């Protein structure tokens, strides 16, 4: 597919607006699932660890399936994938309202909604990168705030809907709101050149057609020979009866020789197609081998190895507060009358602020983005250690704001990845890291819930979470200190039609 030069404006701003609302609508409920988590605990009576799997799957499955999501967007385009994913998100939310047990929610809310969100995230980022080049960082920053604003609004919205219509009514209404994703997806017009030639079909696609043409050709030759043979023999038999039998034998020999030649040609074509399929499979196998070789090369980089451990531990320890903070307040016997706003809403609005401020800091030349990222990890670990000592709404609100701001370090994570592996390997490395981030998102809340089920209090769980984040931060710091300049100062030009994040230079 041939694309025009990114216009850095025009219809691109419409893409930014619809991508913002797409992330707002699809991620609002999964990120604010902590409000629903309390209702599911009361409705199904399961343990906190088992119930926490619903929200963790919804937020982690999209990252785990990021390679599949990328293939879908590359194969079908952003607009069809966005429209299809809108049906997935809306359908999953509506089906969840009829859930008879927690296992049904694992599929309807965890897998269906989570996979739809992953597809929509990939579609919005891809279409935005196609429309922007010089202003790509600004455009990506704007659409990424959609999920944080969705967390802020949906936390209060779902709480209000539950009070008015109950849990089932809330999920039905939220699912109906998600149908607006279809309208947003329909506006994601692909940036294709109208005069670009259509790519030719691969030889594999031509195999049935070639066989069909050959089959018709063979049939036509036989019919023509039969007609000529019949007419010639009839004429001979009328004029000269003795020569009739001789001509029949001669024509049959000619026909048989032609059929043998045609069959040999067909066999040659079959052999050629078989060899082509073997070569095609061999090339695919070589691509897989190359992929794994490049992956092993990435893990030889000390900073990258520490980075994947850090992102895994960060998501195991740093994600649970956004899901469990409301239950932490209820376990601390904090009255709902003391609530100024939901704690999850505070996390959401401060995440938006954190993304913007940390993104701006990363653009300064004197700021080392890796050290900035390590600082956010260490501060997150300290804040998690402080949660067990918070016994009032005010202190929990302050800690929620701090954790939300530090979670905004997602906006600088692509910068850190690029500085670590170089611009050429960004796509490969980022996909691997997102897989481990999804694994951390999926495991974090259930682990914290299991700690509560075992100890009947959250103190041990958040000590464990803080320890995980601090460990990841210290490992990344130790790996970066001796070899930061040697491993990360890589500069190269972008190949054509390759899109990536802008990176601040050190």
């Amino acid at each position: 597919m041939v694309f025009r030069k990114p216009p850095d404006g025009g219809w691109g701003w419409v893409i930014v607006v619809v991508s913002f609302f797409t992330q707002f609508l699809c991620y609002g409920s999964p990120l604010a699932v902590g409000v629903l988590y309390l209702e599911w605990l009361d409705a199904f009576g399961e343990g906190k660890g088992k119930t926490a799997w619903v929200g963790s799957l919804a937020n982690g499955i999209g990252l785990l399936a990021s390679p599949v999501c990328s293939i879908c967007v590359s194969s079908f385009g952003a607009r069809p994938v966005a429209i299809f994913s809108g049906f997935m998100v809306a359908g999953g939310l509506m089906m969840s309202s009829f859930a008879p047990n927690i296992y049904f929610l694992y599929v309807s809310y965890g897998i269906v909604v989570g996979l739809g969100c992953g597809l929509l995230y990939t579609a919005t980022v891809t279409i935005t990168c196609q429309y922007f080049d010089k202003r790509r960082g600004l455009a990506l920053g704007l659409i990424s705030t959609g999920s944080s604003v969705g967390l802020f609004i949906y936390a209060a919205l779902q709480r209000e809907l539950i009070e008015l219509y109950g849990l089932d009514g809330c999920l039905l209404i939220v699912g109906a709101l998600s149908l607006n994703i279809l309208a947003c997806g329909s506006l994601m017009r692909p940036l294709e050149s109208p005069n670009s030639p259509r790519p030719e079909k691969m030889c594999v696609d031509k195999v049935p057609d070639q066989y069909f043409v050959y089959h018709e050709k063979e049939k036509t030759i036989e019919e023509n020979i039969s007609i000529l043979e019949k007419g010639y023999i009839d004429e001979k038999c009328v004029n000269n009866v003795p020569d009739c039998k001789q001509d029949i034998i001669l024509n049959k020999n000619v026909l048989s020789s032609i059929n043998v030649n045609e069959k040999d040609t067909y066999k040659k074509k079959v052999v050629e197609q078989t060899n082509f399929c073997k070569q095609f499979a061999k090339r695919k196998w070589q691509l897989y081998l190359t992929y794994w070789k490049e992956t092993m090369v990435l893990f030889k980089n000390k900073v990258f190895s520490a980075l994947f451990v850090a992102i895994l531990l960060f998501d195991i320890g740093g994600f649970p507060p956004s899901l469990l903070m409301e239950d932490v307040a209820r376990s601390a016997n904090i009255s709902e009358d003391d609530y100024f706003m939901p704690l999850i809403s505070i996390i959401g609005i401060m995440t938006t602020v954190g993304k913007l401020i940390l993104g701006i800091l990363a653009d300064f030349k004197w700021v080392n983005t890796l050290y900035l990222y390590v600082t956010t990890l260490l501060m997150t670990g300290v804040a998690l250690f402080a949660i067990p000592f918070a016994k009032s709404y005010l202190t929990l609100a302050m800690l929620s704001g701090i954790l939300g701001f530090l979670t905004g370090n997602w906006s600088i994570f692509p910068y850190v990845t690029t500085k670590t592996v170089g611009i050429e390997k960004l796509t490969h490395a980022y996909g691997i890291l997102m897989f481990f981030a999804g694994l951390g998102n999926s495991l974090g809340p259930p682990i914290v819930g299991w700690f509560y089920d075992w100890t009947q209090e959250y103190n041990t769980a958040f000590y464990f979470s803080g320890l995980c984040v601090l460990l990841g931060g210290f490992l990344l710091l130790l790996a970066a200190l001796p070899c930061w300049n040697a491993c990360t100062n890589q500069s190269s030009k972008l190949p054509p039609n390759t899109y990536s994040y802008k990176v601040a230079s050190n």
Side-chain angles (χ1 to χ4, degrees):
M1 185 178 290
V2 180
F3 294 102
R4 295 198 302 267
K5 183 180 179 181
D8 280 303
W11 191 260
W13 294 118
V14 178
I15 298 296
V16 169
V17 173
V18 298
S19 297
F20 172 88
F21 280 106
T22 297
Q23 293 203 16
F24 170 84
L25 292 167
C26 74
Y27 277 105
S29 181
L31 289 177
V33 73
V35 177
L36 304 175
Y37 171 75
L38 298 177
E39 302 299 323
W40 287 330
L41 283 174
D42 297 334
F44 300 115
E46 300 287 354
K48 295 182 186 293
K50 185 181 289 188
T51 308
W53 271 111
V54 181
S56 62
L57 284 174
N59 287 277
I61 200 72
L63 294 174
L64 288 172
S66 55
V68 177
C69 298
S70 299
I71 292 172
C72 291
V73 174
S74 300
S75 302
F76 303 106
R79 179 159 58 182
V81 169
I83 293 173
F84 175 76
S85 303
F87 282 111
M88 288 186 65
V89 174
L93 289 170
M94 292 180 180
M95 285 193 301
S96 299
S97 65
F98 303 101
N101 51 54
I102 200 70
Y103 302 103
F104 187 91
L105 285 174
Y106 289 164
V107 178
S108 62
Y109 198 98
I111 296 178
V112 176
V113 175
L115 187 57
C117 290
L119 288 167
L120 284 168
Y121 177 80
T122 306
T124 54
V125 170
T126 301
I127 193 70
T128 303
C129 288
Q130 291 174 4
Y131 272 87
F132 288 90
D133 183 16
K134 296 179 181 178
R135 300 177 179 176
R136 187 176 299 150
L138 173 62
L140 289 172
L142 290 174
I143 69 170
S144 67
T145 58
S147 57
S148 302
V149 176
L151 169 59
F152 171 70
I153 293 179
Y154 268 74
L157 176 64
Q158 291 184 147
R159 180 187 292 273
E160 190 67 23
L161 290 175
I162 289 172
E163 292 180 358
L164 294 174
Y165 306 105
L167 177 61
D168 298 342
C170 170
L171 289 170
L172 283 174
I173 294 172
V174 171
L177 288 175
S178 299
L179 289 173
N180 289 286
I181 295 173
L182 307 181
C184 295
S186 64
L187 295 174
M188 294 181 183
R189 187 171 63 196
L191 187 67
E192 294 182 42
S193 176
N195 298 324
S196 61
R198 291 181 177 273
E200 295 183 0
K201 287 185 177 181
M202 294 179 62
C203 294
V204 176
D205 299 332
K206 293 182 179 180
V207 173
D209 296 336
Q210 291 176 353
Y211 175 73
F212 178 75
V213 171
Y214 166 75
H215 183 70
E216 291 295 328
K217 180 180 177 182
E218 180 183 11
K219 184 178 179 182
T220 304
I221 291 173
E222 292 181 354
E223 288 178 351
N224 292 336
I225 292 176
S226 299
I227 293 171
L228 292 174
E229 177 190 0
K230 183 178 180 182
Y232 178 76
I233 292 173
D234 290 344
E235 183 180 355
K236 276 290 197 178
C237 290
V238 171
N239 296 330
N240 192 356
V241 177
D243 296 335
C244 182
K245 294 183 179 180
Q246 184 178 357
D247 289 338
I248 290 174
I249 296 173
L250 178 62
N251 286 313
K252 285 185 177 180
N253 292 334
V254 173
L255 178 60
S256 62
S257 63
I258 292 176
N259 286 338
V260 170
N261 292 333
E262 290 294 334
K263 289 179 180 178
D264 290 341
T265 305
Y266 171 68
K267 289 180 179 179
K268 289 180 180 179
K269 290 182 180 295
V270 171
V271 172
E272 289 176 0
Q273 296 303 333
T274 303
N275 291 334
F276 172 80
C277 292
K278 290 180 179 179
Q279 292 297 326
F280 183 76
K282 185 177 180 181
R283 285 197 298 270
K284 286 294 183 181
W285 179 249
Q286 290 296 331
L287 289 175
Y288 289 129
L289 289 179
T290 303
Y291 176 84
W292 287 112
K293 288 179 182 178
E294 291 177 354
T295 302
M296 296 305 296
V297 171
L298 285 175
F299 279 100
K300 290 180 180 179
N301 186 332
K302 294 181 180 179
V303 179
F304 178 81
S305 298
L307 190 61
F308 104 84
V309 174
I311 191 65
L312 174 64
L313 295 177
F314 171 73
D315 279 278
I316 288 177
F319 177 66
S322 63
L323 176 62
L324 303 173
M325 192 60 80
E326 297 292 334
D327 192 48
V328 171
R330 187 168 70 171
S331 300
N333 297 321
I334 297 175
S335 174
E336 293 186 2
D337 297 334
D338 299 334
Y339 273 50
F340 176 72
M341 70 170 61
L343 296 174
I344 299 179
S345 294
I346 297 174
I347 293 176
I349 195 65
M350 290 306 296
T351 301
T352 305
V353 176
K355 286 180 178 179
L356 294 175
I357 293 179
L358 292 175
I360 293 171
L361 287 176
D363 282 330
F364 288 108
K365 294 182 178 179
W366 50 269
V367 174
N368 188 310
T369 52
L370 180 63
Y371 294 152
L372 178 62
Y373 185 74
V374 170
T375 302
T376 61
L377 295 183
L378 298 178
M379 292 178 66
T380 300
V382 174
L384 290 170
F385 271 113
I387 289 179
F389 300 98
K391 301 300 181 181
S392 66
Y393 172 79
L394 180 61
T395 53
L396 282 176
M398 292 175 60
L399 289 174
S400 298
I402 293 171
L403 288 171
F405 179 86
L406 296 173
T407 305
N409 61 8
W410 276 100
S411 64
I412 63 173
F413 190 70
Y415 290 69
V416 177
T417 306
T418 307
K419 282 292 183 181
T420 303
V421 300
I423 199 70
E424 313 92 343
K425 300 178 181 178
L426 173 62
T427 304
H428 187 182
Y430 198 71
I432 295 173
L433 293 173
M434 287 302 97
F435 176 84
F436 284 104
L439 187 62
N441 275 347
S442 300
L443 295 177
I447 290 175
V448 173
W450 289 331
F451 269 109
Y452 184 91
D453 293 336
W454 294 334
T455 62
Q456 295 303 309
E457 45 86 17
Y458 275 116
N459 295 350
T460 306
F462 282 106
Y463 290 148
F464 171 79
S465 297
L467 181 63
C468 286
V469 178
L470 285 176
L471 178 61
F474 278 120
L475 285 177
L476 184 57
L477 180 62
L478 292 175
L481 282 176
C483 58
W484 172 247
N485 293 326
C487 295
T488 63
N489 290 335
Q490 301 177 15
S491 60
S492 61
K493 295 182 179 180
L494 283 172
N497 297 330
T498 300
Y499 305 100
S500 64
Y501 296 90
K502 291 183 179 180
V503 184
S505 58
N506 288 330

